[in-house]
Amino acid sequence: SFDLTQPPSVSVSPGQTARITCSSDALSRQYTYWFQQKPGQAPVLVIYKDTERPSGIPERFSGSSSGTTVTLTISGVQAEDEADYYCQSADNSATYVFGTGTKVTVL
Amino acid sequence: QVQLLQSGAEVKKAGASVKVSCHVSGNTLTELSILWVRQAPGKGLEWVGHVEAENGEAIYAQKFQGRVTMTEDTSTDTAYMELSSLRSEDTAIYYCATRTAYNAFDLWGQGTMVTVSS
């Protein structure tokens, strides 16, 4: 198994850009997925396969990958984007791992 | 439109077992892989295990090996996650999820709160 490391928190003003990183040596070989979770709700998929955005997710959400670090970027942050964000990946033996989670606060 | 409906909250004594269900509507269970994830109060998401649609194989997180069993009843399109020898640290919301598109877990159940009391 492996660990996915995220910063515990990110604070951003409305309209600014939030960047959340997820790091592991395993990410150079596997896809990463990002989930948004608001209090009292189930997680919602916002990015899949590193950079793809599901239907219905605003364009301000984007993903990128560089070596062992993947990044979720929220451009033009809105108050409704305040939530916890988790990255997720898997290894070759179909073991799934979630990142430690990042709380995004909109100031 | 696929939906996942989970069973209601459970309160169990330490040492007991709990069985959480996840009913699939809008598709048949045999077509879907089912993921189980839990979240302790104030904590992050934790993978418990999953059942692959391709071969029905259950893969469990090493942490839960020997205590968790994931089964499926295809006649009712219901997936089950049973956790035994419960301890207070198992108090959490348990979610099921599945892939409907994008080869990613994009559909989640509403969650089932399991409380373990000593």
Side-chain angles (χ1 to χ4, degrees):
Chain A
S1 188
F2 57 95
D3 296 325
L4 297 177
T5 302
Q6 299 181 233
S9 62
V10 168
S11 297
V12 60
S13 299
Q16 299 301 304
T17 297
R19 294 182 179 84
I20 306 164
T21 57
C22 175
S23 300
S24 171
D25 288 344
L27 297 183
S28 62
R29 303 180 295 277
Q30 301 290 343
Y31 283 127
T32 303
Y33 303 79
W34 288 95
F35 295 89
Q36 175 194 68
Q37 187 182 34
K38 296 181 178 179
Q41 298 183 19
V44 173
L45 180 73
V46 294
I47 293 289
Y48 66 99
K49 292 184 179 179
D50 293 348
T51 61
E52 302 298 315
R53 189 174 56 249
S55 173
I57 300 301
E59 291 184 7
R60 63 181 180 272
F61 288 88
S62 64
S64 61
S65 177
S66 178
T68 59
T69 298
V70 294
T71 302
L72 172 68
T73 300
I74 312 172
S75 305
V77 166
Q78 299 183 9
E80 68 200 53
D81 300 330
E82 186 162 288
D84 294 326
Y85 292 84
Y86 296 90
C87 58
Q88 178 260 311
S89 191
D91 65 15
N92 290 334
S93 61
T95 296
Y96 291 178
V97 175
F98 283 93
T100 49
T102 298
K103 181 176 182 60
V104 171
T105 300
V106 181
L107 301 171
Chain B
Q1 177 182 353
V2 182
Q3 292 186 316
L4 302 179
L5 183 62
Q6 297 185 227
S7 48
E10 302 264 12
V11 179
K12 297 290 184 181
K13 292 283 191 184
S17 297
V18 68
K19 194 170 186 177
V20 178
S21 69
C22 175
H23 175 67
V24 175
S25 61
N27 203 335
T28 57
L29 188 55
T30 53
E31 299 289 325
L32 301 173
S33 297
I34 300 294
L35 173 78
W36 290 93
V37 172
R38 77 177 188 181
Q39 186 170 38
K43 302 297 185 181
L45 301 175
E46 181 176 30
W47 172 65
V48 179
H50 65 279
V51 179
E52 287 291 352
E54 285 180 354
N55 55 18
E57 179 184 6
I59 301 173
Y60 305 135
Q62 188 170 9
K63 175 178 181 177
F64 302 102
Q65 292 274 0
R67 283 208 303 143
V68 68
T69 304
M70 294 175 184
T71 57
E72 297 183 340
D73 183 344
T74 55
S75 69
T76 61
D77 289 318
T78 303
Y80 297 92
M81 190 279 308
E82 184 171 19
L83 189 62
S84 62
S85 302
L86 290 169
R87 31 207 190 233
S88 58
E89 309 90 89
D90 295 318
T91 293
I93 298 174
Y94 289 76
Y95 293 101
C96 63
T98 192
R99 305 181 184 106
T100 66
Y102 321 115
N103 197 26
F105 290 101
D106 59 324
L107 180 67
W108 292 64
Q110 83 277 21
T112 296
M113 181 70 212
V114 174
T115 303
V116 181
S117 63
S118 53

